[in-house]
Amino acid sequence: MDDRELLTLANEARGRAYAPYSKFPVGAALLCRDGAVFTGVNVENAVNGLSLCAERVALFKAISEGHRDFVKIAVTCRGTHCRPCGACRQVLHEHAPDLEVLMGNPDGAFVRTTVRDLLPDAFSL
Ligand code: THU
């Protein structure tokens, strides 16, 4: 699974986002070490604070299916490139601090980074 394929899966997932309030669909695709891919979308709710970001949906799907070893996540939304929010950075850091992050947009442009670079000096117990 190369970068382009993972970004395409994230972008296809983006089409399934449930974002009636923000009207800002986000898609994610998480690549596991064994080659499995879990996608995620943002799922919003009429009650403020109950919405979940695409990245965490993808990660929680993977963990709940028994996957713990992650290589790369692609995230896409409109704009220059999709930057994971602070909450997602913290949650991703817990499970995969060295995860590669491809921050993309629907046109195929992307910026490569890592969770560690996105959240330096992260909190952990
Ligand atoms: N959102 C994500 O799903 N991932 C990000 O990286 C940034 C923000 C969602 C949350 C909310 O549903 C919408 O985008 C607007 O904030």
Side-chain angles (χ1 to χ4, degrees), residues 3-113:
D3 291 350
R4 286 274 161 219
E5 289 173 307
L6 200 63
L7 283 157
T8 297
L9 289 176
N11 215 35
E12 286 172 358
R14 183 173 168 268
R16 302 190 291 274
Y18 179 75
Y21 305 104
S22 72
K23 302 195 185 327
F24 191 81
V26 182
L30 176 66
L31 175 65
C32 305
R33 185 88 50 201
D34 65 3
V37 176
F38 290 87
T39 59
V41 301
N42 49 334
V43 183
E44 298 183 347
N45 192 275
V47 177
N48 288 337
L50 297 187
S51 301
L52 205 51
C53 293
E55 297 92 322
R56 276 176 283 162
V57 169
L59 180 69
F60 293 165
K61 280 171 66 178
I63 290 174
S64 67
E65 295 296 325
H67 294 261
R68 289 285 175 90
D69 199 1
F70 307 114
V71 178
K72 201 179 292 191
I73 190 168
V75 193
T76 71
C77 63
R78 66 175 179 259
T80 58
H81 58 278
C82 200
R83 303 165 182 86
C85 78
C88 286
R89 294 177 194 204
Q90 174 66 31
V91 171
L92 289 167
H93 189 280
E94 169 108 8
H95 298 277
D98 293 314
L99 190 71
E100 254 191 84
V101 183
L102 308 179
M103 305 186 294
N105 75 11
D107 300 326
F110 71 96
V111 171
R112 184 192 311 277
T113 185

